[in-house]
Amino acid sequence: MKTRHQNGDTHFLTLDEILDETKLLDITLKQKQWLMNEALLNNPKIEVRDGMYGFKPKYNLKDKKALLRLLDKHDQLGLGGVLLDDVEEGLPNFAKAIKALGDQIIFVTRPDKKKILFYNDKHCQFTVDEEFQKLWRSIPVDSIDEEKIEEYLKRQGISSMQETGPKKLPVQKRKKQGVQRKRHFKTHNNHLAGMLEDYSDG
């Protein structure tokens, strides 16, 4: 279904048409019922309309203009970028559309190698006076930690950017095995050592 959508075949199919395209014509009636009543209905990537099924991408984009509008909207609302994978699944012939947009979009690669698309708003490109840059760089922030900066921004009514990338789990250190010491066991009845008699002979 996803491949059909990416190739531009966005029309909905009946279950029999899906089975015909996937060459699964020999399934039982019970399996068909399961597909109709459970599998396809509960699949978050499948949309059901009047007993017909179609692919449901995260962003349903028709062309490059729709992609540009989506990226612009994300930019205007401060939502950030859009994953390339989400665009790829929702935009038919996405490679051609992205190539045609050229410098209107910006690619950023995350540490986990996933690419994110951003709208390149050319109205926001401006030069900053060199004197202002020197003033900006002259203010030390070494003594202020992240929490204090975030707290200050909140007091000023500014929301700080939260880390949205994948979190790296710290590697757990193995505990060093201590030097094994000889254990000292208590010996019992030492005070009776000379008084005890052995009756095992009978």
Side-chain angles (χ1 to χ4, degrees), residues 18 20 32 54 64 67 71 73 92 95 104 115 121 140 157 164 171 174 176 185 191:
I18 293 170
D20 186 39
K32 263 190 184 182
K64 63 183 180 184
L67 172 61
L71 292 173
K73 180 181 170 189
Q104 292 179 300
K115 289 189 177 183
D121 192 353
T164 57
V171 179
R174 296 181 118 195
K176 292 182 182 177
F185 294 101
H191 62 285

Side-chain angles (χ1 to χ4, degrees), residues 41-129:
L41 287 177
N42 296 332
N43 190 330
K45 293 287 184 182
I46 299 290
E47 186 178 345
V48 182
R49 270 194 227 152
D50 303 324
M52 298 180 83
Y53 306 93
F55 182 69
K56 181 180 167 186
K58 185 170 183 178
Y59 303 109
N60 198 2
L61 306 167
K62 292 181 180 176
D63 54 13
K64 63 183 180 184
K65 288 180 184 176
L67 172 61
L68 207 55
R69 280 194 302 272
L70 173 73
L71 292 173
D72 186 25
K73 180 181 170 189
H74 269 248
D75 183 51
Q76 296 296 325
L77 297 174
L79 299 173
V82 176
L83 277 171
L84 180 64
D85 294 344
D86 293 340
V87 171
E88 182 181 342
E89 85 175 8
L91 178 63
N93 306 316
F94 83 100
K96 190 191 291 185
I98 287 175
K99 191 175 182 181
L101 289 172
D103 68 339
Q104 292 179 300
I105 54 176
I106 299 171
F107 286 94
V108 175
T109 305
R110 288 193 329 198
D112 64 352
K113 306 287 188 238
K114 289 193 175 189
K115 289 189 177 183
I116 302 174
L117 299 176
F118 289 90
Y119 178 65
N120 188 8
D121 192 353
K122 295 187 177 161
H123 299 295
C124 295
Q125 293 177 350
F126 55 89
T127 55
V128 178
D129 188 33

